[in-house]
Amino acid sequence: MSWRYDVFECNNETDDHDKCEVMSGPPLRVNIPWKDAYRKAEELPHAVVESRYMGELPYKKTPHIVFEHIEGGGTCWLCGQRRGPLCKTGHGNKFVCDPCQRDMRRHHEQWAREAGTEPSQFTYVPIIDTLDLEPQ
C-alpha cells in the first residue's frame, strides 16, 4: 500500500477541529484501508483520519488530514450558524449543514445542466454517504 491511513480520536469533544490537539496520543487504528479508516472515525465522537505517502517515489511523506468527524456535525462553512457533516465542495472538504447542502446541491445540478455536463454525485453530499460509490 503506498498510502497509509491512521485514525486519531481528538481530545476535545466540544469544539471544531481547529481547537484540537489531535496528536496528543497514538492513533487508534494504524495503516488500515481508507474506507475502513473513514468509517472508524465516524463511529467516534470526535476524530480525524490522517494520510501519508509511504511509497518509493520522491513525494513528501508529511501526514495530512483527509477526513474529519464531529458527532452532531461541525459548524457549517457556508452559514456559520448550523452544524453538518463533512462534504466535498468546490473548495475542498467542508462541514455543511442540511439546508445549505440542499441549496448548494441544487445550484451544482443547475450549473452542470447549463454547462451540458452531468453533476458530480459527490459534491455537497456527506463524504461518508459516498464511500460505496468510490473505487477501492
Side-chain angles (χ1 to χ4, degrees):
M1 181 184 315
S2 60
W3 290 92
R4 171 180 164 158
Y5 295 90
D6 300 333
V7 180
F8 291 87
E9 187 167 19
C10 299
N11 63 348
N12 179 353
E13 295 184 13
T14 59
D15 292 302
D16 288 338
H17 288 294
D18 60 350
K19 297 182 179 148
C20 293
E21 294 177 21
V22 177
M23 298 311 161
S24 60
L28 298 175
R29 295 283 186 269
V30 178
N31 203 18
I32 59 176
W34 72 275
K35 289 182 182 184
D36 295 341
Y38 283 30
R39 288 185 179 113
K40 178 60 181 170
E42 190 198 23
E43 294 171 3
L44 301 167
H46 213 244
V48 297
V49 174
E50 264 194 1
S51 175
R52 88 173 59 214
Y53 179 69
M54 302 301 288
E56 298 300 319
L57 296 174
Y59 297 139
K60 277 189 169 182
K61 297 188 179 186
T62 306
H64 57 281
I65 294 174
V66 293
F67 181 74
E68 306 174 61
H69 174 73
I70 299 173
E71 198 166 71
T75 302
C76 180
W77 166 68
L78 291 165
C79 71
Q81 298 171 6
R82 295 176 293 269
R83 301 184 74 77
L86 193 68
C87 297
K88 288 185 181 177
T89 75
H91 300 278
N93 295 344
K94 304 287 184 184
F95 288 101
V96 183
C97 69
D98 288 340
C100 290
Q101 281 178 48
R102 283 192 300 273
D103 289 348
M104 293 307 293
R105 181 71 197 170
R106 189 176 65 248
H107 289 298
H108 171 69
E109 290 171 353
Q110 178 183 346
W111 293 328
R113 280 192 301 276
E114 290 172 2
T117 63
E118 289 293 316
S120 167
Q121 57 188 340
F122 303 104
T123 305
Y124 293 105
V125 176
I127 291 172
I128 204 72
D129 293 347
T130 65
L131 290 186
D132 293 333
L133 303 174
E134 296 268 10
Q136 190 62 28

